[in-house]
Amino acid sequence: MGIGAGQTGWFKRRTFLEARSGTLIRSWLSWGGSFPPQADQERRWRVTTRNSVWRWNDMRDQRRNRKVPLEQFMEGWLLWGNFAPRTVQWYREVFLHFVKWVRASGQEGVLGDLDPQLARRWQLSLQQAGRSVNTVRGYLATVKSFARYLADEGITRDGHQQALNLLDGVKVPKLPRSRPVTYRDAEIEAILDGINPKHQYGARNLALIRVMLDGGLRLNETVGLRLEDVDWTTGRLHVRGQTAKRHKERDTFVGKRTLLELRRYIEGYRPAQNRHPELFLDQDGAPLSTRAVQCMLARLRTKLGLTRLTAHQFRRTWATNYRKLGVGDLYDLQQQGGWEDLSVPLRFYVDVSGSTEGKTSVMDRWEEEARKRARGGGVSRSVAPEPGGSRPRSAPVRKEPK
């Protein structure tokens, strides 16, 4: 059957709606089902079509400046996040790589192109290029942070003028579960014994490594320690916000031997006449840099024949020994380590998968405590009820000698 003159405009509108939303026109066909023959029905359909298109536009996010290039929002985003300098550098490099990929894939690289499908296609391209899971997670976290900035600043809104995070539904890939890489006891002894404490640089390096192994400081926090940050009575080390991750100040503690090595370095080898307040200095009397520590560890690794020797592995070893040796509970570990989420040290830092030989179980410990209570004051202990019984029986109470 051909299309009449009165139905031509309706057919064009039907084709337009099918291109915009197949679901919308199919829902109408299931409701009405045929071409409207009368003129009044066509007028009603014209109004319905116009309102439907309006509703379709309302369902889409109301992005201001849809044709603005994505990189024009970059500097505002980096200032909004209050990121550390190295994080700013990393985010800028990754974001420019993302924009370059968007334009290489045939799109304009403007705000209107940003959506979950684009982020997932980028993730697929990274995985196909052989990027590791950690790299893909870091790249996706970058663009998700950018999307949060757009929503927080009101640049992207939904149909109800509410803030809309365009990439809220994009999930980063999960990391494979693995044990943290830590130093064994024999390796720690080899590292400490491999440093000459009677030399200027040896005394400094020994004190620095012991601070990381005993206090759990990050590399940047260690080289940023000042003389006044050390409490020589209690062993407390104050980590300043300028050097701490996310600018979170905290206190951690070191033991007597570490304090002894620090004092021996300061009194015997650290330049006395120096205007720098930092605790660790280089050969020129300037504050020790993180790069200098990394070079020192690389030379020590070659000397000892180790496969890996990094400052962050000292921090993992500290966290593992903190729990394994019973120095404190998990919440003490979280406070002294400076983690916001307790799952981070549990997943990536603490390895307590040692030998379980000779360890007591929960019920062994419970029964031991119950025996102590019974011996101490004749406290009755409830036992399990007999089969068919409704109330538990009490164990006989031991009488105290008169």
Side-chain angles (χ1 to χ4, degrees), residues 370-387:
R371 287 193 295 268
K372 290 181 180 179
R373 290 195 299 268
R375 290 194 301 266
V379 180
S380 62
R381 294 185 292 117
S382 297
V383 297
E386 293 182 344

Side-chain angles (χ1 to χ4, degrees), residues 323-353:
R323 290 294 299 132
K324 186 167 63 175
L325 301 177
V327 178
D329 57 23
L330 287 174
Y331 297 101
D332 295 333
L333 175 65
Q334 180 184 7
Q335 291 295 324
Q336 295 189 31
W339 291 291
E340 292 184 351
D341 189 356
L342 192 58
S343 64
V344 176
L346 287 178
R347 184 179 180 91
F348 302 108
Y349 290 86
V350 180
D351 182 15
V352 292
S353 57

Side-chain angles (χ1 to χ4, degrees), residues 361-379:
S361 68
V362 173
M363 290 306 298
D364 288 343
R365 182 63 58 87
W366 180 85
E367 290 171 354
E368 180 182 353
E369 294 297 326
R371 287 193 295 268
K372 290 181 180 179
R373 290 195 299 268
R375 290 194 301 266
V379 180

Side-chain angles (χ1 to χ4, degrees), residues 12 17 22 107 159 170 175 209 227 229 279 340 371 386:
K12 291 182 179 179
L17 282 177
Q107 302 194 42
V170 177
L175 282 173
I209 291 176
L227 292 171
D229 294 336
L279 178 58
E340 292 184 351
R371 287 193 295 268
E386 293 182 344

Side-chain angles (χ1 to χ4, degrees), residues 190-390:
I191 292 170
L192 297 179
D193 294 339
I195 302 174
N196 182 13
K198 298 182 180 180
H199 188 270
Q200 175 183 358
Y201 305 139
R204 179 201 64 191
N205 297 340
L206 180 60
L208 184 142
I209 291 176
R210 289 195 68 97
V211 165
M212 290 188 285
L213 279 172
D214 203 7
L217 274 70
R218 300 179 178 92
L219 176 56
N220 191 54
E221 298 167 347
T222 305
V223 298
L225 277 178
R226 298 186 178 185
L227 292 171
E228 61 267 25
D229 294 336
V230 182
D231 189 333
W232 299 101
T233 303
T234 62
R236 179 184 61 84
L237 300 181
H238 179 65
V239 180
R240 297 175 177 268
Q242 294 88 337
T243 60
K245 190 175 182 178
R246 300 185 185 276
H247 308 290
K248 290 181 58 178
E249 293 188 358
R250 71 180 192 279
D251 292 333
T252 185
F253 295 87
V254 294
K256 297 179 180 178
R257 181 64 184 273
T258 302
L259 289 177
L260 178 63
E261 297 296 341
L262 283 173
R263 187 177 294 277
R264 194 165 64 84
Y265 160 67
I266 294 173
E267 296 177 353
Y269 299 98
R270 185 182 185 276
Q273 303 298 328
N274 194 286
R275 59 184 179 85
H276 295 289
E278 282 77 13
L279 178 58
F280 299 106
L281 305 177
D282 60 12
Q283 62 271 20
D284 299 324
L288 192 65
S289 65
T290 57
R291 182 57 183 165
V293 177
Q294 292 170 350
C295 293
M296 178 269 293
L297 293 177
R299 293 191 297 268
L300 184 60
R301 179 194 62 201
T302 304
K303 174 183 176 182
L304 300 177
L306 299 175
T307 57
R308 186 176 184 183
L309 186 62
T310 63
H312 209 68
Q313 201 163 340
F314 289 138
R315 180 171 164 85
R316 294 192 182 100
T317 305
W318 164 81
T320 298
N321 290 334
Y322 192 95
R323 290 294 299 132
K324 186 167 63 175
L325 301 177
V327 178
D329 57 23
L330 287 174
Y331 297 101
D332 295 333
L333 175 65
Q334 180 184 7
Q335 291 295 324
Q336 295 189 31
W339 291 291
E340 292 184 351
D341 189 356
L342 192 58
S343 64
V344 176
L346 287 178
R347 184 179 180 91
F348 302 108
Y349 290 86
V350 180
D351 182 15
V352 292
S353 57
S355 175
T356 58
E357 183 178 356
K359 292 185 177 180
T360 60
S361 68
V362 173
M363 290 306 298
D364 288 343
R365 182 63 58 87
W366 180 85
E367 290 171 354
E368 180 182 353
E369 294 297 326
R371 287 193 295 268
K372 290 181 180 179
R373 290 195 299 268
R375 290 194 301 266
V379 180
S380 62
R381 294 185 292 117
S382 297
V383 297
E386 293 182 344
S390 59

Side-chain angles (χ1 to χ4, degrees), residues 98-152:
F98 170 70
V99 175
K100 182 180 178 180
W101 174 86
V102 170
R103 290 173 179 157
S105 62
Q107 302 194 42
E108 299 179 14
V110 296
L111 181 60
D113 296 332
L114 188 63
D115 58 19
Q117 293 300 327
L118 182 68
R120 294 189 181 102
R121 292 202 308 271
W122 187 45
Q123 175 185 350
L124 180 61
S125 69
L126 293 173
Q127 293 172 345
Q128 292 176 344
R131 301 280 187 170
S132 65
V133 178
N134 280 322
T135 301
V136 175
R137 285 173 58 91
Y139 278 31
L140 287 178
T142 301
V143 294
K144 284 175 68 68
S145 174
F146 177 71
R148 287 194 300 270
Y149 157 74
L150 297 177
D152 190 58

